[in-house]
Amino acid sequence: MQLYHSPTTPFGRKVMVLLHETGLLPRITVIEASGSPIAPGNLPLDKNPLGKIPALVREDGQAIYDSRVICRYLDDLAGSGLYGQGEDLWRILTLEALADGILDAALLMTYEVRLRPEPLRFPEWTEGQWQKIARALDHVEAQGMGQLSGPLTMGQIALGCALAYVDFRHGARNWRAGRPRLAAWEAGFAARPAMQATRPPAA
Ligand SMILES: N[C@@H](CCC(=O)N[C@@H](CS)C(=O)NCC(=O)O)C(=O)O
């Protein structure tokens, strides 16, 4: 299989962590791709018309995207049970959606600074994105910690990657302040070999 990926994409990191955790990594060739909405670079437009990574070309040549679809596919292939069953499935998918929403907001904040010309920037909009992240993290701190213990799930992987990305691009926001339980969980999760092996290069 071929995975279109970049070392700094947190969505691609979800897939890479899953590959490490499930032992599927040797079946993957990583193809580095990068670009943005205004300069697609070598993003795989022929594999994903949305021009986003990650995108996976399966062994039968079929391309699939986005990270949630790829992770679900690979989990199924490995038989690793990272999505659970029954009621657990809905809880895990919702946690993954929450983590992906944190990433969507954090990525928009990154693009605002890196891509939008200074005079066109809109601080209230950026702050609104941060408020989404802050509410999501408060929600996990107050009500979601139970899901973070126990066997590894795709929700945990997604949240671990999301928190790492918030540190990577928005570290000055200090998300740990007032969220000690989540901070303690993140410290343990970040030490997993799969997280260590997929750390992005220095910002
Ligand atoms: N929902 C998608 C989001 C993927 C995404 O936004 N990837 C970014 C890199 S982190 C990208 O490809 N951006 C290029 C663009 O939007 O043109 C997923 O889960 O895979």
Side-chain angles (χ1 to χ4, degrees):
M1 292 176 279
Q2 297 172 320
L3 179 69
Y4 289 82
H5 172 65
S6 121
T8 57
T9 167
F11 294 101
R13 189 177 185 187
K14 289 171 55 188
V15 178
M16 292 300 293
V17 170
L18 179 150
L19 290 167
H20 279 273
E21 295 281 0
T22 58
L24 281 179
L25 195 61
R27 287 174 66 177
I28 297 281
T29 302
V30 173
I31 301 177
E32 278 213 29
S34 65
S36 75
I38 54 172
N42 67 344
L43 289 168
L45 304 180
D46 56 333
K47 306 292 186 281
N48 177 357
L50 299 174
K52 295 187 184 203
I53 50 172
L56 179 80
V57 179
R58 304 187 328 187
E59 275 158 0
D60 65 1
Q62 181 78 31
I64 61 171
Y65 46 88
D66 61 11
S67 64
R68 258 183 272 183
V69 176
I70 297 170
C71 288
R72 193 86 187 264
Y73 172 77
L74 293 173
D75 174 66
D76 195 55
L77 194 64
S80 44
L82 291 171
Y83 283 91
Q85 283 183 340
E87 204 45 46
D88 283 347
L89 169 65
W90 307 119
R91 273 197 289 270
I92 291 165
L93 282 174
T94 303
L95 182 58
E96 186 178 14
L98 188 79
D100 285 1
I102 290 170
L103 284 180
D104 285 334
L107 187 62
L108 288 174
M109 288 171 66
T110 304
Y111 282 165
E112 183 75 7
V113 175
R114 302 184 91 180
L115 301 182
R116 201 181 295 278
E118 181 95 48
L120 300 180
R121 287 188 197 150
F122 186 9
E124 291 87 346
W125 185 90
T126 301
E127 201 46 39
Q129 298 302 327
W130 178 253
Q131 289 311 315
K132 289 177 189 288
I133 297 171
R135 281 195 304 271
L137 299 184
D138 286 343
H139 169 79
V140 178
E141 176 78 15
Q143 301 174 36
M145 294 306 300
Q147 274 200 80
L148 303 186
S149 53
L152 182 68
T153 71
M154 195 57 220
Q156 294 171 10
I157 293 175
L159 186 63
C161 291
L163 294 173
Y165 184 76
V166 173
D167 275 335
F168 179 54
R169 294 292 193 210
H170 309 293
R173 297 268 183 175
N174 191 16
W175 67 263
R176 290 175 180 79
R179 301 182 186 102
R181 298 195 300 164
L182 190 53
W185 176 80
E186 191 276 338
F189 195 83
R192 290 182 82 91
M195 289 296 286
Q196 291 291 318
T198 57
R199 286 170 56 145

